[in-house]
Amino acid sequence: SSQVFFFVFICNHLVLYCRSMAGIPGAEEQPSCLRVLSVWWTTVPVVLVSGIFAWTYYTYVAVYLPRLPSIPLAVMLGLLYHAIVFLWGASYFQSVRTRPGPIPREFHLSEEEAHQIYFEGGDMSSIPRLRELPVQSLSATGHLRVCSVCRILKPDRAHHCSTCERCVLKMDHHCPWVGNCVGFHNYKYFLLFMFYTVVMCFYVGATILPIVVQGWAHGHDLSQSMELNILLVVAAAFGVSTAMLGAYHVSLVHRDRTTLESMKAVHFVDGTSGHWRRPQSGQAWKRLLGSNRLYWFLPVHTWQGDGVRYERDAAPLTTVTVNSDSIPETSQETHALLSSDS
C-alpha cells in the first residue's frame, strides 16, 4: 500500500542520514557514485527490517485493532503496542546511528611511527610503555596488535571490521541488520533491540492468536484473515529466532565474552592464553547497563568503563613491555604480521 511505501521511504532516508552522522572512514576518498552505491548496499538489510516492521505495524493497527469487539480493549492494546514500538524503534535507531567504538587518540600512530613500523621494521615495544597504554594482549604470532589500515596500536579487545573499514573497541561482530558493527558503545542498544523485538513479536502473536484461532474454528474464508495469519507466522518466526540469539548474547554478557572471543582464546603478553577475568555475579550487567536499574531498559548511555582497560584471569592490569627481539626484522614480515590479526 501507499502507507507502507511511504514509511519504508522515510526509514531508508533516515538510515542514510544516521550512517552519515556515524561516519564511515575512507568514504570521503571514494568517488561519489561508489560512495552512494556503498551506502545503499550496506543499508539494504536495514531497509528490509524497516519494511517488515512497516507491514506488521500497518496490519496490527489498521487490520487487527478495528476487528476487536470492544473499543476500550482496542485502545488499551493499541497503547501498549505503541509503547513497545517506541522502545523498539529507539533501540534500533541507536544501534544504527551510534558509532560502536572509536579508538582513542592515544592509540593512533604518527606518520613517522607508522613508516618505521611498516617499512623499516622498527621497534614497537617502546610505544605502549612511553604512552602508558594499558595493552595486555598480543596477536597469535606473539607481537603487538597493530592495524595497518587504521594506523593504530589496537587496544585490548579491539578488532578491525573489514565491512565498516575501521577498528572497533570491544568489537562483538558486524551486524548487517543494523548496518553497523556491534561494539563497546552500542552493545547495550543492540541487546535492547533484540529484547524489544522479542517482546513485540510475542505481544503481537499473543493478542492476534484468539481471532486467528476463532477464524479457523468457524471455518471463515482464509482470504478474509490472510494478513493476520501471515502476521502470526512472521511474529512467531522472528520472535523465536531473535529469542535464541538473545539468549546466546545473555550468556556472553554473563561470562564477559564477545562473539569473537568465544571462538578463540586471547594471547597475553606473558606468553599465556586465556580469557578476560569473569566478573562477579551481577557485575557484568552493571558494567553494561549501569548501576541504576531504572535505566536498564531504556536506550540511553548508562554503561561503565572506557573500553580500553580490562582485567585478565588471575593477573592485574599492567603496562606492556615487549622485548625488541620479538619485533619483526623486515618490513615484509612486519606487514604480514600486521595483516594476520584483524
Side-chain angles (χ1 to χ4, degrees):
S1 64
S2 59
Q3 296 95 329
V4 174
F5 176 81
F6 177 76
F7 189 88
V8 173
F9 180 82
I10 294 299
C11 287
N12 187 26
H13 284 74
L14 181 61
V15 165
L16 295 179
Y17 170 76
C18 292
R19 289 184 62 82
S20 65
M21 290 292 291
I24 304 177
E28 61 275 5
E29 289 86 7
Q30 297 178 351
S32 57
C33 58
L34 294 180
R35 182 166 63 251
V36 172
L37 289 176
S38 175
V39 172
W40 275 91
W41 175 252
T42 55
T43 54
V44 166
V46 182
V47 175
L48 179 61
V49 171
S50 303
I52 294 175
F53 167 73
W55 178 82
T56 58
Y57 180 85
Y58 171 79
T59 304
Y60 192 86
V61 174
V63 178
Y64 165 70
L65 291 181
R67 294 190 181 185
L68 293 177
S70 171
I71 294 180
L73 177 61
V75 172
M76 182 186 68
L77 293 180
L79 290 176
L80 289 176
Y81 175 71
H82 281 87
I84 298 172
V85 165
F86 173 79
L87 292 171
W88 176 88
S91 301
Y92 189 56
F93 178 81
Q94 290 283 56
S95 300
V96 173
R97 73 168 294 274
T98 303
R99 294 192 65 181
I103 306 300
R105 294 299 305 175
E106 56 265 27
F107 288 88
H108 287 244
L109 300 173
S110 65
E111 293 185 6
E112 181 180 357
E113 292 171 335
H115 185 273
Q116 291 179 352
I117 293 172
Y118 302 153
F119 301 105
E120 300 177 7
D123 189 350
M124 297 181 291
S125 61
S126 62
I127 298 177
R129 183 174 62 250
L130 294 176
R131 299 186 185 182
E132 298 183 351
L133 300 179
V135 180
Q136 303 181 84
S137 59
L138 302 175
S139 67
T141 56
H143 298 85
L144 286 175
R145 304 188 311 132
V146 179
C147 180
S148 57
V149 177
C150 300
R151 208 174 69 187
I152 64 165
L153 177 65
K154 292 181 182 178
D156 291 334
R157 313 184 81 169
H159 296 274
H160 183 83
C161 176
S162 57
T163 303
C164 295
E165 299 182 357
R166 60 187 172 194
C167 286
V168 177
L169 287 180
K170 198 179 180 182
M171 178 178 173
D172 188 87
H173 69 289
H174 180 86
C175 180
W177 302 112
V178 300
N180 199 1
C181 275
V182 178
F184 180 74
H185 289 291
N186 67 343
Y187 191 61
K188 176 189 176 181
Y189 303 144
F190 177 73
L191 287 182
L192 289 180
F193 161 61
M194 290 192 296
F195 173 75
Y196 287 119
T197 297
V198 174
V199 172
M200 182 168 58
C201 288
F202 287 171
Y203 177 84
V204 169
T207 52
I208 70 173
L209 183 61
I211 285 186
V212 173
V213 172
Q214 185 180 12
W216 293 345
H218 291 78
H220 292 166
D221 186 2
L222 290 180
S223 62
Q224 297 180 0
S225 58
M226 181 60 68
E227 291 177 313
L228 294 183
N229 284 271
I230 296 176
L231 179 59
L232 180 61
V233 173
V234 170
F238 279 90
V240 172
S241 59
T242 307
M244 295 174 61
L245 178 61
Y248 171 70
H249 278 276
V250 167
S251 68
L252 291 179
V253 173
H254 182 68
R255 293 177 293 149
D256 194 22
R257 303 280 190 271
T258 65
T259 299
L260 295 176
E261 292 168 353
S262 66
M263 301 177 182
K264 59 181 180 180
V266 181
H267 302 277
F268 295 105
V269 295
D270 59 1
T272 62
S273 299
H275 295 284
W276 301 101
R277 176 177 295 178
R278 182 173 178 174
Q280 298 179 354
S281 179
Q283 288 300 116
W285 290 104
K286 288 184 178 180
R287 293 180 184 177
L288 177 64
L289 303 177
S291 57
N292 191 339
R293 297 189 178 185
L294 295 177
Y295 297 99
W296 278 19
F297 295 95
L298 297 179
V300 294
H301 182 182
T302 56
W303 55 87
Q304 302 173 354
D306 56 8
V308 298
R309 290 172 174 82
Y310 301 97
E311 294 184 1
R312 52 166 297 188
D313 285 338
L317 187 62
T318 58
T319 302
V320 166
T321 301
V322 181
N323 295 327
S324 60
D325 57 0
S326 67
I327 305 300
E329 296 181 357
T330 65
S331 60
Q332 291 182 348
E333 185 182 1
T334 301
H335 182 75
L337 291 176
L338 296 181
S339 303
S340 64
D341 184 72
S342 60

